[in-house]
């Protein structure tokens, strides 16, 4: 009598870190040659649990060191209250629970939520990591998603056509302390869209198709030098985490040597205690040098590897890349190439970071920032401001977007000379920076045009400081015009709509005499002339149409 296991095979698909191009783990996919065992598993929790166990055993036979992603239906966990058989299979395979991520798969309809949350808590307590799979193409309720508090969210690639949705999911991930992944990526355009929307991980045919053998190499498209919406400073260490080679703290030097010689890409081994907390760090080159010396193997092979290790360097999962560099800078120069262990809130190792990845990414960040700066004022251009606008929209934050320029600037240049005009522009840029409050962004978009992104409550001090000053160029008095649109949560969908709301306000501000300031609210008719004289009717657009003639508030 044939068993379902007779015709079942497993394939491995890499999950790729988009920042480093490294393989962050392997998703194990069931591939039945006949029948539909997955449909049966959806209805039979016991069968689904046996599939998960078989997946782990299949990975163990391939001797992969990479973290594993194992698919389990949400209903299975709710019905079984956990997966004790999976925990035992992981132990038998010589793996640690925190090297395995449980991919919770839909459907969620009719799944008892309390039972599911209790089962997830049990698995998390055992050390397993939790991923919410099928977001965007499944039926997971948002409230349940928040209650699950997964460490990873996997979005369907179809959502990349709706970048605002993906950005909002990235914001949710940041709140939950989770990573964001996109699955089903097939084109370089989708990969670029995933990066621009804030995804840190991805998988799909573009990188590597599912295969019977774990992929040794994956294809990752080169990153664009200027990805709109991507964070420019202080990248999170989460973006650079690689899988760590882990062995028990009691491992012998011979065991470490066998791991290193069999895995040339492994730069070091972390020795962890029974809770998964790093206790020693073994650097590849220094360890192998000790072992290869005269009598080295005879002296050390059967001794604890910890004798040849160093105290581990660790950072939390919420650290920034700059904080990792601070950790590397402390200590002897002979350890600057050591990997840094990344630990969770319980001190358990979740991976490692290589110094080379950080240095390369931070250098690229600085180059990109420098390329985007205006050469006259050294202020960022419009991309930096509009990217931040989109992030605030996705986060549901109110903001004020302002445009400022010099009145009749061509006449200033013609009358006072371009040198005086340049000095005036530099002075205005410095004044805007000084007047900006914490969290504000000032951009110079060219010529005499500036953009300012700020919180609504920081507008009055900024306007008073900049517009109230006496400006001149070459001894000639000069005035400035300021237009502001205040955007409440939900009032605009992206930076383009915010700019469209700002356009008629710019025209209204320029129609006033003297230093002027016009303020409107996205989606609300009319505007306020807070500074300037002889107001004229404003142009219609984005709900900002009728001059109310209000001087101040």
């Amino acid at each position: 009598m044939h068993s379902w296991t007779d015709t079942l095979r497993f394939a491995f698909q890499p999950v790729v870190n988009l920042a480093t191009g490294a393989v962050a783990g392997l998703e194990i996919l069931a591939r039945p040659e006949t029948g539909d065992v997955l449909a049966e598993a959806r209805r039979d929790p016991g069968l689904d649990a046996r599939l998960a166990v078989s997946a782990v055993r299949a990975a163990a036979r391939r001797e992969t060191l990479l973290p594993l992603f194992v698919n389990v239906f949400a209903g299975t966990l709710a019905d079984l209250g956990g997966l004790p058989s999976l925990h035992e299979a992981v132990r038998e395979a010589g793996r640690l629970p925190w090297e395995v991520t449980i991919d919770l798969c839909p459907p969620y309809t009719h799944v008892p939520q309390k039972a599911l949350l209790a089962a997830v808590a049990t698995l998390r307590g055992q050390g397993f990591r939790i991923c919410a799979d099928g977001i965007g193409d499944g039926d997971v309720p948002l409230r349940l998603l928040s209650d699950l508090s997964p460490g990873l969210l996997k979005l369907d690639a179809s959502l990349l056509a709706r970048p605002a949705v993906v950005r909002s999911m990235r914001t949710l991930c940041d709140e939950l302390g989770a990573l964001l992944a996109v699955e089903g990526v097939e084109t370089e355009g989708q990969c670029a869209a995933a990066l621009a929307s804030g995804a840190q991980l991805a998988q799909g045919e573009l990188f590597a198709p599912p295969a019977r053998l774990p992929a040794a190499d994956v294809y990752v498209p080169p990153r664009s030098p200027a990805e709109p919406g991507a964070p420019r400073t202080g990248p999170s260490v989460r973006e650079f985490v690689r899988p760590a080679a882990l062995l028990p703290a009691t491992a012998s030097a011979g065991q470490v040597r066998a791991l290193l010689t069999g895995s040339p890409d492994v730069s070091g081994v972390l020795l962890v205690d029974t809770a998964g907390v790093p206790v020693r760090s073994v650097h590849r080159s220094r360890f192998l040098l000790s072992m290869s010396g005269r009598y080295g193997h005879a002296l050390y092979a059967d001794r604890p590897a910890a004798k040849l290790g160093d105290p581990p360097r660790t950072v939390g999962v919420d650290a920034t890349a700059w904080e990792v560099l601070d950790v590397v800078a402390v200590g002897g120069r002979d350890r600057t190439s050591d990997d840094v262990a990344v630990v969770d809130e319980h001190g358990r190792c979740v991976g490692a970071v290589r110094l080379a990845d950080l240095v390369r990414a931070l250098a690229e960040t600085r180059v990109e920032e420098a390329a985007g700066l205006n050469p006259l004022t050294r202020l960022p251009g419009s991309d930096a401001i509009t990217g931040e606008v989109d992030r605030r929209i996705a986060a549901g934050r109110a903001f004020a977007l302002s445009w400022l320029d010099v009145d009749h600037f061509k006449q200033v240049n013609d009358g006072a000379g371009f040198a005086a005009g340049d000095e005036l522009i530099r002075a205005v840029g410095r004044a805007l920076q000084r007047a900006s409050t914490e969290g504000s962004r000032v951009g110079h978009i060219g010529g005499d045009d500036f953009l300012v992104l700020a919180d609504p409550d920081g507008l009055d001090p900024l306007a008073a400081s900049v517009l109230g000053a006496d400006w001149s160029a070459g001894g000639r008095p000069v005035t400035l015009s300021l237009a502001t649109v205040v955007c409440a949560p939900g009032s605009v969908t992206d930076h383009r709509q915010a700019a469209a709301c700002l356009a008629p306000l710019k025209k209204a501000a320029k129609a006033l005499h003297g230093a002027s300031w016009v303020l409107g609210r996205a989606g609300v008719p009319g505007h306020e002339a807070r500074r300037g004289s002889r107001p004229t009717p404003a142009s219609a657009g984005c709900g900002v149409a009728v001059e109310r003639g209000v001087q101040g508030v």
Side-chain angles (χ1 to χ4, degrees), residues 29-404:
L29 303 169
R31 291 290 187 262
E33 295 181 359
T34 60
D36 193 351
V37 69
L38 295 181
E40 296 178 33
R42 188 180 293 115
R43 298 186 295 267
D44 184 348
L47 174 59
D48 193 30
R50 293 196 295 275
L51 277 176
V53 169
S54 298
V56 170
R57 290 173 176 165
R61 288 193 294 271
R62 299 301 182 188
E63 298 181 349
T64 175
L65 294 173
L66 290 167
L68 306 175
F69 292 78
V70 179
N71 293 299
V72 178
F73 289 111
T76 296
L77 289 186
D79 286 347
L80 300 183
L83 295 170
S85 58
L86 179 64
H87 190 272
E88 179 63 20
V90 169
R91 187 191 65 79
E92 290 176 353
R95 304 300 293 264
L96 301 169
W98 44 91
E99 296 178 89
V100 178
T101 297
I102 307 297
D103 273 13
L104 287 179
C105 300
Y108 290 85
T109 303
H110 307 309
V111 173
Q113 294 190 8
K114 289 185 177 180
L116 175 60
L117 292 172
V120 166
T122 298
L123 289 168
R124 188 177 280 122
Q126 293 170 342
F128 290 103
R129 307 193 186 284
I130 304 298
C131 166
D133 203 347
I135 306 300
D137 197 34
D139 60 345
V140 55
L142 283 177
R143 184 170 61 183
L144 175 61
L145 185 61
S146 178
D147 290 342
L148 285 170
S149 190
L152 175 66
L153 267 65
K154 283 188 178 180
L155 305 185
D156 186 81
S158 62
L159 285 182
L160 294 174
R162 301 170 175 83
V165 176
V166 182
R167 288 193 298 268
S168 66
M169 296 307 297
R170 170 61 192 268
T171 300
L172 175 61
C173 285
D174 290 342
E175 292 291 331
L176 297 175
L179 293 176
L180 182 65
V182 178
E183 54 186 352
V185 175
E186 298 180 350
T187 67
E188 293 194 9
Q190 288 181 319
C191 181
L195 272 167
S197 299
Q200 296 121 327
L201 304 174
Q203 63 187 108
E205 296 281 341
L206 174 67
F207 311 104
R212 294 290 175 84
L213 294 176
D217 297 302
V218 295
Y219 169 73
V220 180
R223 295 186 64 167
S224 167
E227 291 156 1
R232 297 295 180 183
T233 58
S236 168
V237 71
R238 295 172 185 268
E239 299 180 27
F240 306 98
V241 174
R242 291 174 175 263
L246 306 178
L247 284 176
T250 55
S252 68
Q255 290 174 293
V256 172
R257 182 177 183 275
L259 190 156
L260 292 175
T261 55
S263 306
D265 292 335
V266 173
S267 55
V269 177
L270 290 170
L271 305 179
V272 297
D273 64 15
T274 55
V277 177
V279 294
R280 300 293 283 180
S281 174
V282 179
H283 184 267
R284 180 187 188 90
S285 297
R286 294 197 299 275
F287 174 84
L288 292 179
L289 184 62
S290 298
M291 291 290 288
S292 62
R294 191 176 185 183
Y295 308 123
H297 188 272
L299 286 173
Y300 299 117
D302 296 325
R303 298 183 65 187
K307 298 287 186 180
L308 296 175
D310 300 288
R313 290 174 166 176
T314 62
V315 295
V317 291
D318 296 322
T320 66
W322 293 109
E323 290 172 321
V324 177
L325 291 185
D326 290 339
V327 170
V328 172
V330 176
R333 293 184 179 180
D334 60 328
R335 296 198 62 192
T336 54
S337 62
D338 287 19
D339 293 347
V340 177
V342 182
V343 298
D344 62 14
E345 66 274 16
H346 303 294
R348 299 179 302 203
C349 181
V350 300
V353 175
R354 293 183 180 179
L355 180 62
D357 290 337
L358 293 182
V359 172
R360 181 173 57 253
L362 293 175
E364 290 174 353
T365 297
R366 286 294 180 253
V367 169
E368 291 171 11
E369 288 177 350
L373 296 180
N374 186 285
L376 182 62
T377 59
R378 309 304 296 167
L379 290 173
S382 59
D383 283 350
I385 306 300
T386 56
E388 180 61 26
V389 167
D390 285 337
R391 285 190 287 276
R392 296 196 186 193
I393 292 171
R397 293 175 56 186
F399 63 90
L401 182 63
S402 298
W403 165 87
L404 179 140

